[in-house]
Amino acid sequence: MGDARASQDVAALVARRLAERQGEFAVIGLARSGIAAVRLLRAAGLSVYASDTSKAEAVRSAGAMLEREGASVELGIHNVHRIAHCSMLVVSPGIPPTAPPIRAALSAGVPVVSEVEVGLRLLPALRYIAVTGTNGKTTTTALIGHLLRALGHEAADVGNIGTPVSELALMKSPPTWAALELSSFQLHDTPGLMPDVGVLTTLSPDHLDRYGSVADYYADKKRLFANAEGPSQWVTTADSADVDAFVAGIPGQWHRFSVHRTDVDGYYHRGSGMLHVFGEPLVARDTFALAGDHNVANALAALLAVMAADPLHRIPSARALLAKAIGTFGALPHRLEPVVDRQGILWLNDSKATNIDSTTVALASMSRPTIVLLGGRHKGESYTALVPELLRTAKAVLAYGEAGALITGDLEAPLHGRVSVEHCASDSFEQVMTRARALAVAGDVVLLSPACSSYDMFNNYEERGREFARLASVIA
C-alpha cells in the first residue's frame, strides 16, 4: 500500500509541475523516446535541457534538430548540477536508476519519470491497454493493436514495441486507443499508470545484469498494478502458480487465460480445437498462423484484454470481427520468424529471445532436429535450464560471443554428449552461421534463439536478427 501511495504522490507532483509550466524540464538519453519527450515538452511551451553522454553522429544530428526546436542540448556529459535544479527529469529506459544524474535528481526531490508518463499525462483522453511480462508482451501488444483496429478503432502500438507515447501526443489528431507495451525499466518510472485493462503475460527471472535480485525485477513488474482499484481490469495467465502468488490481493476484476485449463475466461479447448473467450467458442486455433502454445496464450490474453476494455467489444458482431482478425495476424520480426527455407533447411530468426525462459519456449516449439545458436552478452542466469528441451530437439549447439564459454561450461556435462556443444570462441557471427550451415542437412532447423542480449556484437536484437536473415539468405 505504501508503494501505491508513493506512486500516486509522484504522479500528482508530475501533473502539477506540467500544469504550472515553471522552471526547466530535463531529459537524459536522446534515443527515440528521449527525442520524442523533448519535442513534446517543447511543443507544450516548456523550457527543456536535454543531454546524452554519447557524441555519435545520430545523437549529434538529433541534438541539432532539438536545438532548432528551442531545447538546450549538451552532448558527452550530463550536467548533474543543472538536473538537480530542474522541475522534472525524464529518463530513457536504458539508463539505470543508479546513474549519477538520476541519483542527483532524487536527492534533490526532483520527480524522475519515463517518457511514457509524460506522453500519457499530455494525452488525457487516450484509452489504452497496457501489457507487460517477461515474455510474450510484444506479440500480445501487437495483437491487441491489430484487434482494436479490426473493430474500427484508430489504434496505435506504442511504448517498448518501438513508438514512443509522446509521438502520439505530437499528432494533430491522435488515435483514440493505444496498445502500450511496458518493460520493467519503463514501469519503474511511470507512476501514473491507469490503463483501461492491464495485462501480465508471463513472469520469470530476467535482466539480472541490471537488477540486484529477481525480487527487484519483479517489484518493477508489479508497478503495473500500483494504482489498482476495485473497477480496474486485469488479464493474467492461470498457468503459473508464481503469477497467482504475485497478483494475490491486488484489487480489480480479473480475467484469466490458460492453454491447459477450461475453468477460466479464455482457454484453448484441445478436443474441439477452438479458442473459447468469455463463455463461448470464438475461433479455431488452426486459423491462427503463429506456432506454439505460447502464442495461443498470447492470443487469448489479447482477446480477453480487448473484449474486457469495452462492453461493445463483446457483442456478436464484434466477436465475429475479432475472430476474423485473429486469422490475419502474422509473425512479428525476430520472434520465431522464418527467414529462409531452402534445400529442406528452415532458418528461424528468434533474436528477440534474450533470456533463458524465451529460448526455452522457442525450443519447445521445435518438432525437427535443431541446430541452436546461443550467445551474446550474459544476463545473469544459468543455461542449464535449457537442457531438457535441448535433449528433446537439438542436434547441436553453437555457443558464441561473450557468453560462449559460460554456455559451453553449463551445457557440455548435462547434455552427456547426446547433443554436441561447440564453443565458437573467436568466430565472427558470419563464421558461426557458416558452421551452422555445414552441420545442417535436409529436415533440420537452424534456430537463432540466443538467450542473451546482443550488445557484444550488435547494437540491438533487431540488428542481430537482420544479420542472421541476411547471412542465411546468402549461405543457405
Side-chain angles (χ1 to χ4, degrees):
M1 193 67 188
D3 287 346
R5 175 55 59 191
S7 287
Q8 291 162 8
D9 289 346
V10 173
L13 178 57
V14 169
R16 187 164 67 251
R17 295 276 169 92
L18 286 170
E20 291 170 347
R21 299 171 182 259
Q22 295 177 359
E24 187 173 66
F25 292 71
V27 178
I28 59 172
L30 294 180
R32 186 172 179 180
S33 66
I35 293 168
V38 174
R39 296 191 68 231
L40 179 57
L41 292 169
R42 285 296 303 138
L46 303 172
S47 175
V48 181
Y49 164 71
S51 62
D52 196 304
T53 55
S54 173
K55 288 185 176 181
E57 178 57 36
V59 177
R60 289 202 303 269
S61 177
M65 175 193 70
L66 296 174
E67 284 183 326
R68 290 193 296 271
E69 296 189 9
S72 173
V73 179
E74 194 166 14
L75 302 182
I77 192 172
H78 299 305
N79 188 325
V80 174
H81 177 78
R82 192 169 179 177
I83 289 168
H85 289 82
C86 68
S87 294
M88 186 174 75
L89 173 62
V90 182
V91 58
S92 294
I95 301 175
T98 55
I102 299 178
R103 291 204 309 267
L106 293 173
S107 296
V110 175
V112 177
V113 298
S114 67
E115 170 274 325
V116 174
E117 179 74 18
V118 174
L120 292 177
R121 285 287 161 190
L122 296 175
L123 278 169
L126 182 71
R127 300 191 67 182
Y128 63 97
I129 298 171
V131 183
T132 196
T134 304
N135 297 306
K137 58 184 177 292
T138 302
T139 298
T140 302
T141 301
L143 265 165
I144 288 168
H146 179 72
L147 295 175
L148 287 169
R149 290 185 287 273
L151 291 172
H153 295 299
E154 293 182 9
D157 305 345
V158 295
N160 195 58
I161 202 168
T163 301
V165 179
S166 295
E167 288 190 7
L168 302 190
L170 287 164
M171 297 178 180
K172 288 185 178 179
S173 299
T176 53
W177 283 87
L180 171 59
E181 180 187 346
L182 291 165
S183 69
S184 58
F185 304 158
Q186 290 168 318
L187 281 167
H188 184 84
D189 297 311
T190 309
L193 196 69
M194 293 189 72
D196 288 73
V197 181
V199 182
L200 176 64
T201 55
T202 59
L203 196 63
S204 60
D206 196 10
H207 297 299
L208 298 182
D209 52 340
R210 170 153 163 173
Y211 288 98
S213 68
V214 174
D216 291 341
Y217 168 62
Y218 283 5
D220 274 356
K221 286 296 187 189
K222 205 163 192 175
R223 291 174 190 252
L224 174 69
F225 310 103
N227 300 308
E229 301 172 337
S232 300
Q233 303 233 49
W234 308 113
V235 173
T236 59
T237 179
D239 293 334
S240 168
D242 288 342
V243 169
D244 288 343
F246 185 76
V247 301
I250 295 173
Q253 302 174 43
W254 293 86
H255 311 289
R256 302 167 77 212
F257 60 91
S258 174
V259 295
H260 302 298
R261 298 167 50 175
T262 60
D263 59 341
V264 290
D265 291 316
Y267 62 89
Y268 174 34
H269 189 277
R270 294 182 187 274
S272 65
M274 296 293 292
L275 274 60
H276 288 238
V277 185
F278 286 122
E280 299 178 34
L282 180 75
V283 62
R285 194 273 177 259
D286 288 350
T287 67
F288 186 47
L290 274 62
D293 275 1
H294 65 293
N295 278 318
V296 175
N298 294 336
L300 289 167
L303 287 164
L304 280 174
V306 170
M307 294 172 77
D310 194 302
L312 291 177
H313 296 172
R314 295 199 209 180
I315 63 175
S317 59
R319 290 177 67 95
L321 289 171
L322 293 172
K324 183 177 180 181
I326 282 289
T328 60
F329 185 82
L332 296 178
H334 316 298
R335 293 159 183 85
L336 286 176
E337 175 194 16
V339 293
V340 175
D341 191 348
R342 192 178 300 155
Q343 297 185 27
I345 302 167
L346 176 62
W347 299 71
L348 289 178
N349 167 23
D350 195 39
S351 184
K352 183 63 168 63
T354 60
N355 58 56
I356 301 297
D357 194 56
S358 53
T359 296
T360 302
V361 168
L363 291 169
S365 301
M366 297 299 104
S367 58
R368 294 160 55 174
T370 305
I371 297 158
V372 187
L373 277 57
L374 295 176
R377 178 160 292 169
H378 184 57
K379 294 178 72 177
E381 295 179 82
S382 169
Y383 300 92
T384 55
L386 300 173
V387 167
E389 287 297 337
L390 288 171
L391 285 171
R392 185 190 66 82
T393 195
K395 175 178 177 178
V397 171
L398 300 183
Y400 69 92
E402 287 181 6
L406 279 170
I407 293 167
T408 303
D410 279 357
L411 296 182
E412 272 188 325
L415 290 177
H416 308 299
R418 291 167 55 188
V419 178
S420 69
V421 181
E422 297 186 20
H423 181 199
C424 307
S426 58
D427 288 358
S428 67
F429 193 66
E430 182 173 0
Q431 289 171 318
V432 174
M433 292 284 286
T434 301
R435 178 58 180 156
R437 178 62 187 90
L439 293 171
V441 298
D444 289 351
V445 172
V446 178
L447 171 67
L448 172 69
S449 191
C452 297
S453 74
S454 58
Y455 301 124
D456 58 338
M457 290 181 170
F458 303 97
N459 290 317
N460 48 53
Y461 75 83
E462 294 99 335
E463 182 179 278
R464 176 171 61 188
R466 287 193 296 270
E467 181 64 0
F468 174 83
R470 185 190 71 80
L471 289 169
S473 68
V474 172
I475 66 177

